[in-house]
Amino acid sequence: MKFAKTVLVTTAIAAGILSSGAAMNIACADEAQDKIIIAHRGASAYLPEHTLESKALAYNMGVKYLEQDLAMTKDNRLVVIHDHFLDRVTDVADKFPDRARKDGRFYVIDFTLDEIKSLNFTEGFVVENGKRVQGYKGRFPMFTSTFKIHTFEEEIEFIQGLNKTMGKDIGLYVETKAPWFHKQEGKDISKATLEVLKKYGYTTKDSNVIFQTFDYPDLKYVVDTLMPKMDMSLKTVALIGKNDWGETYELKDGKWEPFDFNYLLNPKNYPEIAKYATGLGPTYEQLFNLKKTTKDHIVVNDLVKNAHINGMIVHPYTVRADALPKYCTDVNELYQAILIDADADGLFTDFPDLGVNFLNEYAKTK
Ligand code: G3P
Ligand code: CA
């Protein structure tokens, strides 16, 4: 392994170059000097994503946070699922063949919780020529054993229960999926998410939860309106997508327009963004200068530095040892580039064991 290089947020603080919007984030940025591994959808490389089984496995691998992606059901319950569709990860097309929308997709929001719980959950697949083809070939076999979708409340109780029995304090890393879409359907997923978090005692910046979303306009609504109204103030992360994903839309002059993620990549906006976000969640490639990067030599850019100057932490996503970019031959090269060379404060990975192992080896050199 390579290691070396430590750039601390305190350097920026001591130098007096933190922006005015950064002050409220300093405590969180200080914490971030301890780099962390976030279990992306649980230990999703080893067990189907977001199942409680995959969360338990990740928990025992030594992560600091377990991730929850959330969508809302027809009867207004929050379920832990990555897509706001059911078709990639369940047998919904077999059980409810007539319930797809015109686009052929089966939407979580069109099904009650009872209906969703009747589905079998599986490792993700795509349908090619009428056949189900597993997305990640080396992962858990499709439609084997029995897995079910669970509610957000069930997952919180599961993690809090484990925290009690294992004597740890592992956090939630909660993502509201497509708040803009839920709004179009007349539902406020962010309000529902905060209500559940409040019920389970997560209310302040000291609470062991990070609220993340790709929907920056909705994040502003959460911070400006919802949290003050609900007497809450949680740590937040603004996720940065790519414009061609169609990840987020915003209402402009009564029309839903694609959100331009370049706003979140431009450091000139960071003092303003820091008023809303404790941190940024870019793709790991957004930390690299890909024009200068060559095989086994990753060149990093200033994204993390600029975030740190503005008091924001950075948690990029998603490292997958079985889907490395072409410029990497070993997952540790990628962990090194993100956590050490680019100086990110943590990262999301499908392989929490490998990420934790990397940080343990790194700690031995300190
Ligand atoms: O939330 C960080 C990461 O999970 C974002 O990607 O699409 O897996 O939710 P996604
Ligand atoms: Ca996510």
Side-chain angles (χ1 to χ4, degrees), residues 2-131:
K2 203 173 129 204
F3 305 129
K5 184 172 177 184
T6 310
V7 180
L8 298 182
V9 174
T10 40
T11 312
I13 298 168
I17 51 174
L18 278 171
S19 75
S20 57
M24 68 183 190
N25 287 334
I26 288 174
C28 301
D30 270 344
E31 279 172 25
Q33 289 167 25
D34 295 326
K35 296 180 188 289
I36 60 163
I37 298 299
I38 304 143
H40 182 249
R41 313 182 198 172
S44 53
Y46 305 102
L47 280 162
E49 66 187 45
H50 279 316
T51 56
L52 289 178
E53 291 84 349
S54 81
K55 301 296 164 79
L57 186 58
Y59 189 103
N60 215 31
M61 287 173 168
V63 296
K64 288 286 191 294
Y65 288 96
L66 295 163
E67 191 199 27
Q68 298 78 35
D69 291 311
L70 300 177
M72 253 178 131
T73 66
K74 189 176 184 176
D75 48 348
N76 299 319
R77 298 297 302 276
L78 292 167
V79 285
V80 182
I81 185 167
H82 176 268
D83 312 348
H84 54 282
F85 312 107
L86 293 159
D87 31 272
R88 183 180 59 89
V89 283
T90 73
D91 56 356
V92 66
D94 301 335
K95 292 216 168 81
F96 299 98
D98 306 328
R99 299 273 295 276
R101 289 195 185 188
K102 281 197 183 108
D103 61 3
R105 308 298 305 264
F106 296 82
Y107 286 68
V108 173
I109 210 162
D110 293 338
F111 291 81
T112 64
L113 180 61
D114 280 352
E115 288 171 336
I116 285 171
K117 286 203 168 215
S118 75
L119 303 174
N120 282 318
F121 194 87
T122 176
E123 181 63 35
F125 60 85
V126 288
V127 178
E128 284 174 7
N129 302 320
K131 276 198 173 156

Side-chain angles (χ1 to χ4, degrees), residues 38-41 49-50 67-69 81-83 88 173-175 177 212-214 237 239-240 245 247 281-283 315-318 320 348-350:
I38 304 143
H40 182 249
R41 313 182 198 172
E49 66 187 45
H50 279 316
E67 191 199 27
Q68 298 78 35
D69 291 311
I81 185 167
H82 176 268
D83 312 348
R88 183 180 59 89
Y173 210 123
V174 185
E175 181 183 348
K177 277 295 177 194
Q212 52 165 344
T213 182
F214 279 105
V237 157
L239 293 170
I240 312 177
W245 293 349
E247 184 70 45
T283 71
H315 291 160
Y317 63 94
T318 301
R320 298 179 167 107
F348 290 83
T349 181
D350 290 2

Side-chain angles (χ1 to χ4, degrees), residues 115-178:
E115 288 171 336
I116 285 171
K117 286 203 168 215
S118 75
L119 303 174
N120 282 318
F121 194 87
T122 176
E123 181 63 35
F125 60 85
V126 288
V127 178
E128 284 174 7
N129 302 320
K131 276 198 173 156
R132 288 169 173 164
V133 180
Q134 184 161 335
Y136 294 96
K137 306 254 178 311
R139 298 195 180 183
F140 202 86
M142 277 191 302
F143 288 111
T144 55
S145 192
T146 305
F147 300 102
K148 295 286 175 183
I149 294 177
H150 56 274
T151 63
F152 186 33
E153 288 94 325
E154 284 166 333
E155 176 143 343
I156 293 177
E157 288 175 14
F158 187 82
I159 293 171
Q160 291 191 342
L162 275 174
N163 279 340
K164 182 180 176 197
T165 56
M166 302 292 282
K168 290 191 192 178
D169 185 19
I170 302 307
L172 314 177
Y173 210 123
V174 185
E175 181 183 348
T176 48
K177 277 295 177 194

Side-chain angles (χ1 to χ4, degrees), residues 283-310:
T283 71
Y284 61 76
E285 297 219 320
Q286 286 165 336
L287 307 188
F288 303 155
N289 181 333
L290 291 176
K291 283 191 184 137
K292 292 191 178 160
T293 291
T294 53
K295 191 158 165 45
D296 298 325
H297 180 66
I298 298 171
V299 179
V300 303
N301 63 29
D302 284 341
L303 189 151
V304 177
K305 191 172 142 202
N306 289 327
H308 282 175
I309 285 170
N310 286 280

